[in-house]
Amino acid sequence: GDSVTQTEGQVTVSESKSLIINCTYSTTSIAYPNLFWYVRYPGEGLQLLLKVITAGQKGSSRGFEATYNKETTSFHLQKASVQESDSAVYYCALGENSGTYQRFGTGTKLQVVP
Amino acid sequence: GGIITQTPKFLIGQEGQKLTLKCQQNFNHDTMYWYRQDSGKGLRLIYYSITENDLQKGDLSEGYDASREKKSSFSLTVTSAQKNEMAVFLCASSIWGGGAEQFFGPGTRLTVL
């Protein structure tokens, strides 16, 4: 089957420090995965942060970046300098153009402290 | 832009009770989804629908029914509420399937007494 793994349930980072949230995926059926990061800010609904559909490409949004690495089946989310306003829950997801749904990871709660 | 509305925001029921959650979207999207969100378990797909009157089971469909009588609405019924299924239920829609961005509603928090 298909699955997405986020190893960290919670991450605490000091403001202005760098961040990496790990995401790896596994698929037995999807030839050309599409990869997503969604985010839920406190008090808001879940929303798309960024999406990459081509292996080797990088997506970016709000200062965050993620590179689709087909060799390591990874899509880690990175930011060079986090702000308190980045505190949120981040979900990695796997989909397919010809498919009908996406698989989500378990989510990583990011807390940025002053 | 559009919006997804979920009602009610909070739902409290008794164990064994049948409970219905409703979702409306005005994006004119074809595909709609119901997810269950438990702490530490991410989003698990309960049901989805690729068009009006279509229903497809997800990984967690046992104990739930769904209904898509109109393109804009998608309902989820908990057939017999259990205490171990207290969670947040999220509705989402997308213009088409797995490669497209999903838009989410604010959620319904279910409590079972």
Side-chain angles (χ1 to χ4, degrees), chain B:
Chain B
I3 192 168
I4 296 183
T5 305
Q6 290 187 240
T7 55
K9 190 172 181 180
F10 299 96
L11 181 56
I12 300 174
Q14 300 290 329
E15 200 165 21
Q17 191 176 359
K18 184 175 178 179
L19 301 167
T20 298
L21 294 71
K22 294 185 182 295
C23 176
Q24 296 264 351
Q25 54 100 355
N26 64 359
F27 288 99
N28 199 34
H29 285 164
D30 286 317
T31 309
M32 295 186 74
Y33 307 86
W34 276 108
Y35 293 94
R36 176 173 153 175
Q37 182 177 38
D38 296 87
S39 178
K41 293 186 180 178
L43 274 66
R44 292 183 289 173
L45 185 64
I46 305 173
Y47 266 96
Y48 66 100
S49 167
I50 62 174
T51 189
E52 186 177 324
N53 293 318
D54 173 74
L55 292 174
Q56 306 285 338
K57 292 183 178 180
D59 299 325
L60 209 62
S61 61
E62 189 169 338
Y64 302 94
D65 286 329
S67 171
R68 181 108 183 262
E69 294 175 353
K70 292 192 303 183
K71 186 175 182 179
S72 61
S73 66
F74 194 28
S75 298
L76 180 72
T77 297
V78 181
T79 56
S80 176
Q82 303 298 316
K83 287 193 176 180
N84 63 3
E85 66 189 329
M86 291 194 290
V88 175
F89 292 81
L90 295 179
C91 176
S93 71
S94 71
I95 192 166
W96 51 283
E101 175 183 1
Q102 292 189 15
F103 294 84
F104 288 83
T108 292
R109 181 175 293 276
L110 173 64
T111 301
V112 182
L113 302 176

Side-chain angles (χ1 to χ4, degrees), chain A residues 34 36 38 40 44-48 51 53 89 91 94-107, chain B residues 31 33 35 37-38 40-45 48 50 59 90 94 96-106:
Chain A
N34 291 357
F36 305 79
Y38 289 86
R40 190 181 74 238
E44 297 184 22
L46 195 58
Q47 57 188 282
L48 181 70
K51 165 187 172 180
I53 64 172
V89 182
Y91 291 91
L94 164 72
E96 180 184 18
N97 270 347
S98 58
T100 49
Y101 59 86
Q102 295 171 12
R103 285 267 179 229
F104 285 80
T106 50
Chain B
T31 309
Y33 307 86
Y35 293 94
Q37 182 177 38
D38 296 87
K41 293 186 180 178
L43 274 66
R44 292 183 289 173
L45 185 64
Y48 66 100
I50 62 174
D59 299 325
L90 295 179
S94 71
W96 51 283
E101 175 183 1
Q102 292 189 15
F103 294 84
F104 288 83

Side-chain angles (χ1 to χ4, degrees), chain A residues 66-85:
Chain A
T67 300
Y68 176 171
N69 188 320
K70 193 169 183 178
E71 285 68 39
T72 58
T73 63
S74 66
F75 191 54
H76 306 320
L77 184 67
Q78 301 184 71
K79 190 171 187 184
S81 174
V82 297
Q83 307 299 316
E84 262 191 274
S85 57

